[in-house]
Amino acid sequence: MRRPGLMLYGILCYIFFNIAFLYMAGFLLGIAVPKAINDGVPSDVTASLAINALLVFLFGFFHSLMARQWFKDRWTRLVSVEAERSTFVLQAAAFLTLLMLCWKPMPSVVWSVGGVWALAAYALFLTGLVTVLLSTFLIDHWELFGLRQVWAGNNGTPNPKPVFKTPLLYRFVRHPMQLGVIMVFFATPVMTAGHLFFAVSMTVYVFIGLYFEERSLVREFGATYRDYQRRVPMLFPNPFRMLPRRAQSA
């Protein structure tokens, strides 16, 4: 029996997340959004730090909590298995939106560059965005955002089992998506104290999240993933591993 409501739910969650992520791009660069990271009336630095830290904590806590298998096992008693990933995507978009709307500006300038360096910062930012998007499609964009699951649920067909693969960017780093996100966090021609706090705290969360994700991947794929860990760096490419063997031994 078809379940069109399930499919609509998955599509709406997908759209909401993409709007939130694209808004974050404008939020960080201060372009084409009603509220950017440096907008607003500055308040007491200690209060701003406390509020901003709480916002990052809420995003990271619920993002990590809902990604854990023990939580999924309990959560799917309330939410259908097919809607679980879409609900995860929904909460990520919701807490990211909350973070951006409630962020307190800390406008002290850490660095400011112009000319060719500003263009380089924008180019790095764009490279990060492209890296994130490409990484999702290299594995399974539709499964990652829950659309494959709701499609299967709508049609009454089983979801395919996860398959371990390392296409293109995944041959150089194990987590190119997170590398792209970090590039987006830091690549800006004007870095303020608030932006730097956002970039550093969110990057810390990325590493915490990767710690738990790596453990989950080892449990799921066993020796295959442990071998992958030995061969490929987690986050930052190793240029020596990219060289041909003869060049490395020369």
Side-chain angles (χ1 to χ4, degrees), residues 136-187:
T136 67
F137 280 102
L138 286 174
I139 42 176
D140 190 335
H141 179 87
W142 311 116
E143 188 275 337
L144 184 67
F145 289 98
L147 292 179
R148 190 175 300 283
Q149 294 90 322
V150 295
W151 175 262
N154 180 63
N155 294 315
T157 57
N159 279 309
K161 293 183 179 180
V163 177
F164 181 74
K165 55 183 179 179
T166 58
L168 196 58
L169 299 179
Y170 290 85
R171 298 175 185 174
F172 304 109
V173 292
R174 301 198 299 274
H175 302 282
M177 193 187 314
Q178 286 80 356
L179 173 60
V181 167
I182 291 174
M183 292 164 66
V184 167
F185 290 161
F186 282 94

Side-chain angles (χ1 to χ4, degrees), residues 240-250:
F240 296 104
R241 292 188 183 185
M242 297 181 191
L243 295 173
R245 292 183 179 274
R246 289 183 179 180
Q248 291 185 46
S249 59

Side-chain angles (χ1 to χ4, degrees), residues 33 43 62 103 114 133 137 160 178 214:
V33 294
S43 56
F62 284 100
W103 189 263
L133 181 62
F137 280 102
Q178 286 80 356
E214 291 263 297

Side-chain angles (χ1 to χ4, degrees), residues 24 26 34 63 67-68 114 141 164 189 221 237:
M24 186 185 73
H63 196 272
R68 304 284 68 78
H141 179 87
F164 181 74
F221 296 108

Side-chain angles (χ1 to χ4, degrees), residues 3-246:
R3 301 159 66 187
L6 177 65
M7 192 70 206
L8 178 61
Y9 175 70
I11 292 172
L12 290 176
C13 291
Y14 176 77
I15 292 173
F16 182 25
F17 180 87
N18 279 277
I19 291 173
F21 187 79
L22 289 175
Y23 189 100
M24 186 185 73
F27 175 77
L28 292 176
L29 290 182
I31 297 175
V33 294
K35 183 184 185 302
I37 195 166
N38 297 315
D39 291 345
V41 179
S43 56
D44 177 72
V45 174
T46 302
S48 295
L49 275 173
I51 293 171
N52 293 342
L54 176 61
L55 292 168
V56 172
F57 171 78
L58 288 173
F59 173 83
F61 176 77
F62 284 100
H63 196 272
S64 289
L65 178 66
M66 294 190 69
R68 304 284 68 78
Q69 189 58 51
W70 63 265
F71 183 85
K72 292 180 184 180
D73 294 338
R74 291 163 175 77
W75 181 236
T76 48
R77 297 173 186 171
L78 302 174
V79 177
S80 69
V81 173
E82 298 87 356
E84 181 272 325
R85 186 66 188 182
S86 291
T87 306
F88 174 83
V89 169
L90 174 63
Q91 66 79 27
F95 280 105
L96 180 59
T97 300
L98 177 68
L99 183 153
M100 293 185 291
L101 292 178
C102 298
W103 189 263
K104 298 299 181 182
M106 300 166 62
S108 300
V109 176
V110 179
W111 74 66
S112 179
V113 296
V116 66
W117 291 108
L119 292 176
Y122 287 125
L124 184 62
F125 187 94
L126 181 60
T127 301
L129 283 180
V130 172
T131 299
V132 173
L133 181 62
L134 177 59
S135 298
T136 67
F137 280 102
L138 286 174
I139 42 176
D140 190 335
H141 179 87
W142 311 116
E143 188 275 337
L144 184 67
F145 289 98
L147 292 179
R148 190 175 300 283
Q149 294 90 322
V150 295
W151 175 262
N154 180 63
N155 294 315
T157 57
N159 279 309
K161 293 183 179 180
V163 177
F164 181 74
K165 55 183 179 179
T166 58
L168 196 58
L169 299 179
Y170 290 85
R171 298 175 185 174
F172 304 109
V173 292
R174 301 198 299 274
H175 302 282
M177 193 187 314
Q178 286 80 356
L179 173 60
V181 167
I182 291 174
M183 292 164 66
V184 167
F185 290 161
F186 282 94
T188 177
V190 180
M191 177 66 81
T192 62
H195 191 154
L196 184 61
F197 180 77
F198 175 94
V200 171
S201 57
M202 290 293 277
T203 299
V204 169
Y205 167 68
V206 166
F207 278 97
I208 294 172
L210 286 179
Y211 169 77
F212 289 106
E213 183 176 347
E214 291 263 297
R215 293 178 61 183
S216 297
L217 289 167
V218 168
R219 284 195 298 269
E220 186 171 7
F221 296 108
T224 300
Y225 195 80
R226 283 193 289 270
D227 177 65
Y228 182 53
Q229 288 177 309
R230 287 191 291 268
R231 292 184 293 103
V232 179
M234 182 175 75
L235 205 56
F236 300 105
N238 184 338
F240 296 104
R241 292 188 183 185
M242 297 181 191
L243 295 173
R245 292 183 179 274
R246 289 183 179 180

